[in-house]
Amino acid sequence: MDVDLSAAPASAVPSGLNAAVQRYYDTTLDLYEDLWGEHVHHGYWDPGETPGTEGADRRAATDRLVRELVAFAGIPAGAHVLDVGCGIGGSALYLAGSLDCTVDGVTLSAAQVERARQKARDAGLENRARFHQADALRTGYPDACFDAIWALESLMHIADRAAFFAEALRLLRPGGVLAIATWAVREGELTADEDALVKQILRHQVMPSFSSLPQHERLAAAAGFERVAAVDWTAAVANSWDPAFALVPKVDGPRAMRELARDRGVDVLGFFYAGPLMLKGFETGAMTYGAVRAVKPQPGAVPAARP
């Protein structure tokens, strides 16, 4: 189903938090793509693998994460998928090319949309991978028009997560699946030092808050999803912030930082702070990472007990 987004609410011009997220990704698009390729997300390794030695390399590890989420969520071949926070189209092009899916990707970043469309044309997939600048909570799509909703490391930028799960339920057809991979925070109270670290990560990565994996499960169930499940992938993805994987260049000294901020805008500095902060977050246990899947009930299904 091809939906005309020109009739959608005026969400293509972000404001507030959305505008900050748009600026960040517009500013850092080339940095991420030059270093990480088409996937702006964590990599996935088996126990004992390490980046750059006997383990998978950067591209293989990020490709692996996409495949792991497909398998965990059970994304069916040929599905019509909404890719929330599609970036420059890495996941969408995999779904369209390897699984014969039709994918509509939405992102707040106009620069990402332009780059994703070019990559789709280059791959000959522009008819099955389409990209739009839109707020994921106000896309203008009609009810029950997707078989799957895919949110790979995008939910952290959405402040109202209860609204996200409600909107996902609205957009999915009965029996449709929601697939999420996300940065998360440990369940329970953090120490003062952990809380300060998490706040630094949030500030530099333009994210309003983190939820724990159990909180994601509770939000999905409260929205009306069934067969809700989560898996903790922290150990599998933690190598993503190893310098051999992240490859974030070191900017020496405050003067160099000031020059970078002057040339590109202050938002770009978050890109350079991310690595050490996230590495410490995983090392302390304050930060976690995982996947969540949930299914929209079929008509007449008996609701499962909510946790």
Side-chain angles (χ1 to χ4, degrees), residues 156-205:
M156 311 91 62
H157 291 297
I158 297 176
D160 191 343
R161 294 190 185 117
F164 166 81
F165 283 99
E167 180 68 356
L169 192 76
R170 181 187 75 81
L171 291 172
L172 283 170
R173 298 186 178 107
V177 64
L178 172 63
I180 295 168
T182 187
W183 305 16
V185 70
R186 189 182 68 237
E187 177 88 334
E189 187 174 356
L190 300 178
T191 68
D193 287 345
E194 290 171 337
D195 184 63
L197 173 63
V198 168
K199 286 178 180 176
Q200 287 186 69
I201 294 170
L202 292 169
R203 182 172 67 254
H204 290 303
Q205 295 301 297

Side-chain angles (χ1 to χ4, degrees), residues 81-104:
V81 182
L82 176 64
D83 184 353
V84 173
C86 60
I88 60 173
S91 296
L93 295 178
Y94 173 84
L95 295 170
S98 297
L99 293 182
D100 293 322
C101 294
T102 298
V103 186
D104 282 84

Side-chain angles (χ1 to χ4, degrees), residues 1 3 80-81 141-148 170-173:
M1 178 184 298
V3 180
H80 187 193
V81 182
Y141 288 112
D143 294 353
C145 63
F146 291 101
D147 303 305
R170 181 187 75 81
L171 291 172
L172 283 170
R173 298 186 178 107

Side-chain angles (χ1 to χ4, degrees), residues 29-286:
L29 183 150
D30 62 322
L31 295 173
Y32 278 117
E33 187 171 13
D34 288 348
L35 293 172
W36 294 356
E38 62 189 15
H39 293 303
V40 184
H41 58 70
H42 286 66
Y44 188 105
W45 290 265
D46 289 322
E49 287 187 326
T50 55
T53 58
E54 74 276 8
D57 65 17
R58 218 164 17 98
R59 301 289 177 93
T62 50
D63 287 346
R64 169 83 181 274
L65 185 69
V66 172
R67 296 195 304 272
E68 291 290 337
L69 184 57
V70 166
F72 175 71
I75 303 295
H80 187 193
V81 182
L82 176 64
D83 184 353
V84 173
C86 60
I88 60 173
S91 296
L93 295 178
Y94 173 84
L95 295 170
S98 297
L99 293 182
D100 293 322
C101 294
T102 298
V103 186
D104 282 84
V106 295
T107 174
L108 294 168
S109 168
Q112 287 186 334
V113 168
E114 181 179 354
R115 183 69 182 113
R117 287 174 175 170
Q118 181 61 57
K119 290 173 71 66
R121 288 191 294 270
D122 292 344
L125 292 170
E126 65 270 29
N127 291 329
R128 293 212 309 275
R130 304 164 300 210
F131 302 97
H132 314 279
Q133 185 187 20
D135 183 336
L137 300 184
R138 297 189 297 275
T139 61
Y141 288 112
D143 294 353
C145 63
F146 291 101
D147 303 305
I149 293 178
W150 175 275
L152 177 50
E153 299 189 21
S154 56
L155 192 49
M156 311 91 62
H157 291 297
I158 297 176
D160 191 343
R161 294 190 185 117
F164 166 81
F165 283 99
E167 180 68 356
L169 192 76
R170 181 187 75 81
L171 291 172
L172 283 170
R173 298 186 178 107
V177 64
L178 172 63
I180 295 168
T182 187
W183 305 16
V185 70
R186 189 182 68 237
E187 177 88 334
E189 187 174 356
L190 300 178
T191 68
D193 287 345
E194 290 171 337
D195 184 63
L197 173 63
V198 168
K199 286 178 180 176
Q200 287 186 69
I201 294 170
L202 292 169
R203 182 172 67 254
H204 290 303
Q205 295 301 297
V206 201
M207 298 171 182
S209 67
F210 292 123
S211 301
S212 68
L213 288 176
Q215 284 175 321
H216 285 90
E217 292 182 273
R218 292 192 288 270
L219 285 168
F225 282 96
E226 64 179 16
R227 294 159 54 191
V228 179
V231 59
D232 190 324
W233 284 345
T234 307
V237 307
N239 282 333
S240 299
W241 299 104
D242 183 292
F245 175 87
L247 298 179
V248 176
K250 185 177 180 181
V251 180
D252 294 320
R255 180 177 179 180
M257 281 293 194
R258 286 195 298 270
E259 291 176 353
L260 184 66
R262 184 190 63 226
D263 293 341
R264 285 183 175 254
V266 70
D267 298 303
V268 76
L269 298 182
F271 174 87
F272 295 92
Y273 288 125
L277 292 172
M278 283 298 293
L279 187 61
K280 187 175 181 180
F282 280 140
E283 288 174 346
T284 62

